[in-house]
Amino acid sequence: MNNVEDRLPKHVAIIMDGNGRWAQKRGYQRSMGHLEGSKTLEKLGIYILKKGIDVLSVFAFSTENFKRSKEEVDYLMNLFIEMFTKKFKKLQKEGIKVVFSGRRKPLRDDVLKAMDEMEEKTKNNTKGILNICLNYGGQEELIDASCKIAEDYKNGKLDLVSLNKESFSKYLYRDLPPIDLLIRTSGELRISNFMLYQMAYSEMVFTDVYFPDFKEKEFDAALEEYYKRNRRFGGN
Ligand code: IPE
Ligand code: IPE
Ligand code: MG
């Protein structure tokens, strides 16, 4: 048996779900749940990446989340701006590099500007990568990658026989290692169009805890569960 350090996942992904229900259970507006979730994210992100895990991907806003009320979408977009321009100071100080995955359209210009600035400010950081999936869809990512591949092929930049799992990955929004551990909070047992390509062989842990309450202790329990799994990758 390898020691724990060797078995540490390289890439952890979290579907941060249940903010609305966390708030409703307490008689608050749904927006309070998003605010509390944003605080949990900063603390948890630092905790996870400090363990030596290379990449943490988090689902912050799906392409489908634009179906929500204008009030909720506006609240979330303004909260993202606050997070990226003012709140995520500790994360930056800890040396974490922040990157984003998703489509730029139809995000507002002020949101895009805050995202670009956050990426720019942290681009030379080396203590782990926080990949924030915002206006992200897994199927959309595969469609966008296919378009880039077709473009490169048309321009004679790509030889189709060279296409394999690794080279395909370079056409995704971010070239990241496969997801080892995927966690979804709030009790829902589905993927909701998250990182379809990257989770081909990830171990999945589902917990009933709502995201704002998903703290260090809850993460450690998910990691313990991960260590118990026997990853076979199709072998025996
Ligand atoms: C996750 O919490 C955050 C986003 C999808 C933006 P929800 O807002 O989905 O919370 P529930 O699932 O309604 O409780
Ligand atoms: C998935 O949660 C998206 C995020 C966590 C950002 P949803 O709450 O949107 O997922 P469904 O609608 O319950 O599948
Ligand atoms: Mg939800």
Side-chain angles (χ1 to χ4, degrees):
M1 182 72 75
N2 295 334
N3 63 39
V4 164
E5 192 69 3
D6 290 343
R7 294 186 297 141
L8 195 67
K10 279 193 170 54
H11 187 174
V12 171
I14 307 180
I15 302 177
M16 306 185 291
D17 197 14
N19 291 349
R21 279 165 284 167
W22 180 92
Q24 276 157 351
K25 203 176 87 181
R26 288 166 175 75
Y28 305 151
Q29 302 273 319
R30 290 176 59 84
S31 55
M32 286 303 291
H34 296 313
L35 181 64
E36 203 56 32
S38 72
K39 294 178 193 162
T40 297
L41 170 60
E42 187 184 29
K43 286 203 201 102
L44 191 66
I46 293 168
Y47 180 72
I48 292 176
L49 293 168
K50 267 197 159 175
K51 280 182 182 282
I53 289 164
D54 297 334
V55 185
L56 172 65
S57 289
V58 292
F59 207 0
F61 192 89
S62 72
T63 48
E64 293 81 9
N65 288 148
F66 273 112
K67 290 181 195 157
R68 297 189 180 191
S69 70
K70 184 174 170 352
E71 190 192 356
E72 183 165 350
V73 172
D74 283 348
Y75 180 87
L76 280 163
M77 293 301 146
N78 293 334
L79 177 62
F80 292 142
I81 296 176
E82 280 278 310
M83 284 156 75
F84 308 146
T85 57
K86 297 196 180 84
K87 292 202 170 139
F88 277 5
K89 289 274 179 311
K90 185 134 194 283
L91 211 117
Q92 286 178 51
K93 245 191 255 149
E94 294 289 345
I96 292 166
K97 177 174 172 167
V98 178
V99 299
F100 292 92
S101 291
R103 282 188 179 162
R104 290 177 74 86
K105 269 190 194 156
L107 290 173
R108 278 160 29 187
D109 285 347
D110 53 354
V111 178
L112 291 170
K113 184 165 172 271
M115 290 162 67
D116 291 345
E117 281 172 11
M118 178 96 248
E119 275 196 348
E120 182 60 28
K121 271 190 280 195
T122 63
K123 69 174 185 204
N124 295 320
N125 286 353
T126 55
K127 304 268 170 61
I129 296 173
L130 175 63
N131 172 40
I132 303 178
C133 298
L134 201 166
N135 190 25
Y136 174 87
Q139 290 175 321
E140 284 77 357
E141 180 170 36
L142 295 174
I143 292 166
D144 292 349
S146 308
C147 290
K148 287 187 233 165
I149 288 170
E151 194 70 21
D152 273 4
Y153 176 70
K154 195 172 76 185
N155 296 330
K157 287 192 202 153
L158 174 71
D159 184 355
L160 287 185
V161 293
S162 73
L163 210 48
N164 55 35
K165 289 177 195 175
E166 283 72 35
S167 60
F168 187 93
S169 185
K170 300 199 190 322
Y171 287 95
L172 298 172
Y173 296 131
R174 300 283 159 186
D175 186 12
L176 300 169
I179 296 169
D180 300 300
L181 168 62
L182 171 82
I183 300 166
R184 181 169 188 149
T185 58
S186 92
E188 307 298 351
L189 304 180
R190 56 178 170 263
I191 297 307
S192 302
N193 199 16
F194 197 35
M195 305 175 79
L196 301 175
Y197 189 84
Q198 299 86 339
M199 69 168 72
Y201 260 107
S202 62
E203 294 297 328
M204 299 185 182
V205 173
F206 295 94
T207 166
D208 287 341
V209 175
Y210 294 143
F211 184 70
D213 289 333
F214 191 79
K215 305 274 167 71
E216 286 87 340
K217 179 167 81 65
E218 286 72 23
F219 177 75
D220 284 340
L223 199 56
E224 275 312 308
E225 171 68 29
Y226 170 81
Y227 286 138
K228 285 189 207 146
R229 304 279 175 89
N230 177 13
R231 304 190 75 191
R232 287 193 288 274
F233 298 100
N236 55 15

